[in-house]
Amino acid sequence: MSKMPKQPEAMKRSGRPIVADFHPEEYLYRRVPTRIWPAKDSILDIAAIELPDISTARSEFGHPEWLRLDYVNQRVFKKWGIIGVQIKNIIPASCLDNGKVFTYRVSHVPLEVDYPHSEIQAFDGEQHLNTSEAVLPEELHLEWRANLLEVFETFIPPGEDWAIREEPPGSHVPETHPDDSRKS
């Protein structure tokens, strides 16, 4: 396990408020363990997307490489891959054959050491499905996760070393990182 680097100041909450509004072109980033995504040429498995609350980070407040730093648990995920999805591509609802509708919402859920932290949450009506008793039906659970996985994009392939930027993002639009091997 790598030693914890100094935390970027912009990653800390520092009294900043919850920001409920998301720009449709803003991205949510998610880290993916190497046991699920071992190499950039391997297929990304549905296990990368978990419900009930999918932990992510907002591009408006953080860079994708910040997801490799877990200051809550004092862990570094140096080789894990980072994927992202634009808010406008998140499927807002799914429906059972009997007409019952489940909805999905994006929420900014900042932590003291991780201001960009957000979640994609599932709801049955107004009931937030965040407990073991409140479960999304299995067929919808798998279908929704598979559909969401299709619209995720790779930001940092697994195994690539990227330097941690200290400065906060300039906007909700992801900025090119100097270590990005996809650049021209």
Side-chain angles (χ1 to χ4, degrees), residues 49 54 64 84 89 102 133:
I49 310 295
I54 301 172
N89 292 329
F102 293 85
E133 298 85 42

Side-chain angles (χ1 to χ4, degrees), residues 83-115:
I83 57 177
V85 62
Q86 278 189 309
I87 300 294
K88 67 182 181 182
N89 292 329
I90 295 172
I91 302 121
S94 53
C95 184
L96 290 172
D97 290 339
N98 66 7
K100 186 172 177 82
V101 176
F102 293 85
T103 59
Y104 310 94
R105 301 178 198 158
V106 178
S107 296
H108 184 209
V109 185
L111 306 172
E112 290 305 314
V113 294
D114 187 2
Y115 184 65

Side-chain angles (χ1 to χ4, degrees), residues 1-8 11-12 31 67-78 111-114:
M1 188 67 51
S2 299
K3 181 182 173 200
M4 289 301 296
K6 180 179 177 283
Q7 184 175 18
M11 192 175 176
K12 297 175 184 176
R31 68 177 170 238
L67 273 82
R68 289 180 161 176
L69 307 173
D70 178 356
Y71 288 97
V72 171
N73 298 300
Q74 294 295 299
R75 296 182 66 192
V76 177
F77 302 100
K78 188 174 181 176
L111 306 172
E112 290 305 314
V113 294
D114 187 2

Side-chain angles (χ1 to χ4, degrees), residues 3-163:
K3 181 182 173 200
M4 289 301 296
K6 180 179 177 283
Q7 184 175 18
E9 287 300 315
M11 192 175 176
K12 297 175 184 176
R13 184 165 186 182
S14 301
R16 291 183 284 177
I18 292 171
V19 178
D21 295 327
F22 288 77
H23 191 285
E25 293 181 1
E26 182 176 356
Y27 277 84
L28 293 178
Y29 304 125
R30 178 159 175 79
R31 68 177 170 238
V32 181
T34 52
R35 68 179 162 69
I36 293 173
W37 193 22
K40 66 180 171 184
D41 59 347
S42 56
I43 302 213
L44 189 55
D45 188 86
I46 195 169
I49 310 295
E50 301 169 340
L51 282 173
D53 293 338
I54 301 172
S55 182
T56 63
R58 298 179 68 166
S59 65
E60 181 171 346
F61 302 125
H63 299 292
E65 69 272 12
W66 289 4
L67 273 82
R68 289 180 161 176
L69 307 173
D70 178 356
Y71 288 97
V72 171
N73 298 300
Q74 294 295 299
R75 296 182 66 192
V76 177
F77 302 100
K78 188 174 181 176
K79 298 297 181 182
W80 286 22
I82 308 297
I83 57 177
V85 62
Q86 278 189 309
I87 300 294
K88 67 182 181 182
N89 292 329
I90 295 172
I91 302 121
S94 53
C95 184
L96 290 172
D97 290 339
N98 66 7
K100 186 172 177 82
V101 176
F102 293 85
T103 59
Y104 310 94
R105 301 178 198 158
V106 178
S107 296
H108 184 209
V109 185
L111 306 172
E112 290 305 314
V113 294
D114 187 2
Y115 184 65
H117 183 260
S118 300
E119 295 175 349
I120 303 172
Q121 301 171 336
F123 291 82
D124 178 357
E126 288 303 312
Q127 181 185 7
H128 179 193
L129 302 178
N130 64 343
T131 66
S132 58
E133 298 85 42
V135 180
L136 189 66
E138 187 65 23
E139 64 271 19
L140 286 186
H141 185 255
L142 290 172
E143 178 184 349
W144 187 83
R145 288 167 60 210
N147 289 335
L148 186 62
L149 186 60
E150 288 180 18
V151 294
F152 266 97
E153 302 171 37
T154 299
F155 275 84
I156 304 176
E160 286 191 8
D161 289 326
W162 279 30

